[in-house]
């Protein structure tokens, strides 16, 4: 009996020493998971220019915006020129490596629906473009960072213009709408987008490709209008410092003809 007791004692000591000096690699995953989750979070913050329209209220200028993407959740905040902050929450789906679409679920305790197209580069927001309903009222959002308007040096042929003015948009069988502002972007691959801000608060987007450019004008061939099929073109006459002197556009949207002008 004494021999068995001594053997059991030595066995316990051996097992204890084995556990003490055994490699700790088996516990590494418990410490790596929080790091991976943190690395998967994307935080974006930019100052810039934009507009936010809610219901029948006057459009407010947007001075800055921030977006956090983590998992499949998105948090969006915009700061207006009166220092008011408007927040949205939702989920997102990735369309490209630097473009996601945010589907809104709420704005704090208020109801919110709609979607926002987000484009970003590094940690900067290059575009927020969306619409939906906030607490029972329609809203429209358009925002671009300040730096995205740079067009200097190297092979950078991008263009980014946002300008207020007056114009008309006519789509067959619909009432003619007044245009109050226009945004034009062209990236280095000649991919182009024209956004027409309407007086009723809606934004009509056209996407396509820049096919011609000189010192005074560009021509954009239209491929689509959001989820709708579209064809046609926009001729843009440029002024000094990337300003817009005149825009003329025509084509079809879902088989209906459209005409647009702006100055």
């Amino acid at each position: 009996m004494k021999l068995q007791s001594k053997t059991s004692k030595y066995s316990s000591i051996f097992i204890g020493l084995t556990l003490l000096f055994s490699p700790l690699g088996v516990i590494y995953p418990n410490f790596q998971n929080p790091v991976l989750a943190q690395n998967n979070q994307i935080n974006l913050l930019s100052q810039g220019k934009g507009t936010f329209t809610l219901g029948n209220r006057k459009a407010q200028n947007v001075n800055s915006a921030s977006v956090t993407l983590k998992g499949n959740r998105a948090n969006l905040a915009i700061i207006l020129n009166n220092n008011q902050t408007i927040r949205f929450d939702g989920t997102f789906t990735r369309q490209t490596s630097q473009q996601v679409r945010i589907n809104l679920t709420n704005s704090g305790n208020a109801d919110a629906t709609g979607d926002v197209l987000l484009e970003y580069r590094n940690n900067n927001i290059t575009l927020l473009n969306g619409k939906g309903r906030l607490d029972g009222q329609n809203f429209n959002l358009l925002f671009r960072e300040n730096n995205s308007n740079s067009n200097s040096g190297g092979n950078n042929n991008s263009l980014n213009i946002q300008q207020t003015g007056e114009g008309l948009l006519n789509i067959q069988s619909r009432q003619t709408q007044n245009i109050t502002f226009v945004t034009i972007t062209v990236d280095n691959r000649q991919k182009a987008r024209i956004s027409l801000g309407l007086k009723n608060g809606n934004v009509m987007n056209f996407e396509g490709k820049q096919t011609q450019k000189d010192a005074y004008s560009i021509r954009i061939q239209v491929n689509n209008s959001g989820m709708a099929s579209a064809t046609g073109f926009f001729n843009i006459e440029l002024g000094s410092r990337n300003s817009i002197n005149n825009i003329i556009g025509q084509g079809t949207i879902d088989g209906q003809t459209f005409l647009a002008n702006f100055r």
Side-chain angles (χ1 to χ4, degrees):
M1 294 296 294
K2 290 183 179 180
L3 180 60
Q4 290 178 350
S5 176
K6 186 178 294 186
T7 302
S8 177
K9 179 179 179 180
Y10 290 150
S11 298
S12 298
I13 293 173
F14 177 76
I15 293 171
L17 291 172
T18 301
L19 292 174
L20 178 62
F21 292 104
S22 63
L24 299 180
V26 293
I27 66 173
Y28 284 175
N30 293 332
F31 293 98
Q32 288 180 333
N33 285 340
V35 175
L36 290 174
Q38 183 177 358
N39 290 340
N40 286 335
Q41 179 171 313
I42 298 175
N43 299 306
L44 309 170
L45 176 64
S46 292
Q47 292 182 327
K49 295 180 180 180
T51 55
F52 178 78
T53 305
L54 180 63
N56 295 323
R57 305 177 193 178
K58 183 180 178 181
Q60 296 286 327
N61 292 325
V62 181
N63 296 326
S64 60
S66 66
V67 177
T68 299
L69 305 175
K70 184 177 181 180
N72 72 331
R73 300 294 303 176
N75 306 107
L76 164 65
I78 59 173
I79 300 178
L80 307 181
N81 60 344
N82 61 3
N83 292 325
Q84 179 185 0
T85 300
I86 298 177
R87 302 181 185 276
F88 292 100
D89 300 311
T91 61
F92 74 91
T93 54
R94 186 169 295 281
Q95 296 183 301
T96 68
S97 61
Q98 295 182 325
Q99 184 184 82
V100 301
R101 187 168 296 278
I102 302 173
N103 299 307
L104 304 179
T105 56
N106 63 284
S107 175
N109 294 324
D111 295 330
T113 58
D115 65 86
V116 177
L117 179 67
L118 162 68
E119 294 181 356
Y120 63 94
R121 186 178 299 108
N122 299 326
N123 293 323
N124 298 316
I125 300 168
T126 57
L127 172 69
L128 285 173
N129 191 353
K131 62 181 179 179
R133 291 181 66 82
L134 172 58
D135 216 12
Q137 300 182 78
N138 292 331
F139 79 84
N140 282 276
L141 168 64
L142 183 63
F143 172 83
R144 297 184 186 279
E145 67 162 335
N146 285 330
N147 292 337
S148 65
N149 199 32
S150 62
N151 187 23
S152 59
N155 296 321
N156 185 6
N157 294 316
S158 63
L159 179 69
N160 192 320
I161 305 174
Q162 181 173 326
Q163 184 170 311
T164 58
E166 297 180 349
L168 295 173
L169 172 65
N170 178 271
I171 301 176
Q172 181 182 351
S173 76
R174 303 184 195 179
Q175 184 178 0
T176 300
Q177 299 286 336
N178 292 312
I179 303 171
T180 58
F181 71 88
V182 169
T183 298
I184 302 172
T185 60
V186 180
D187 66 16
N188 291 330
R189 294 173 297 177
Q190 312 307 310
K191 181 180 178 181
R193 177 187 286 111
I194 297 179
S195 299
L196 307 180
L198 306 181
K199 189 175 182 180
N200 63 5
N202 292 328
V203 177
M204 179 70 71
N205 295 312
F206 295 89
E207 296 180 347
K209 185 176 183 179
Q210 176 182 284
T211 57
Q212 296 179 19
K213 180 181 180 181
D214 56 36
Y216 306 103
S217 64
I218 62 174
R219 181 182 175 93
I220 294 173
Q221 197 73 28
V222 174
N223 297 330
N224 63 77
S225 176
M227 300 298 292
S229 61
T231 61
F233 66 89
F234 281 87
N235 286 334
I236 299 101
E237 180 185 334
L238 300 175
S240 61
R241 298 181 180 180
N242 277 346
S243 62
I244 299 171
N245 284 344
N246 186 48
I247 295 177
I248 295 177
Q250 70 177 56
T252 63
I253 302 176
D254 276 347
Q256 296 185 313
T257 58
F258 77 85
L259 292 171
N261 64 59
F262 177 85
R263 64 176 56 247

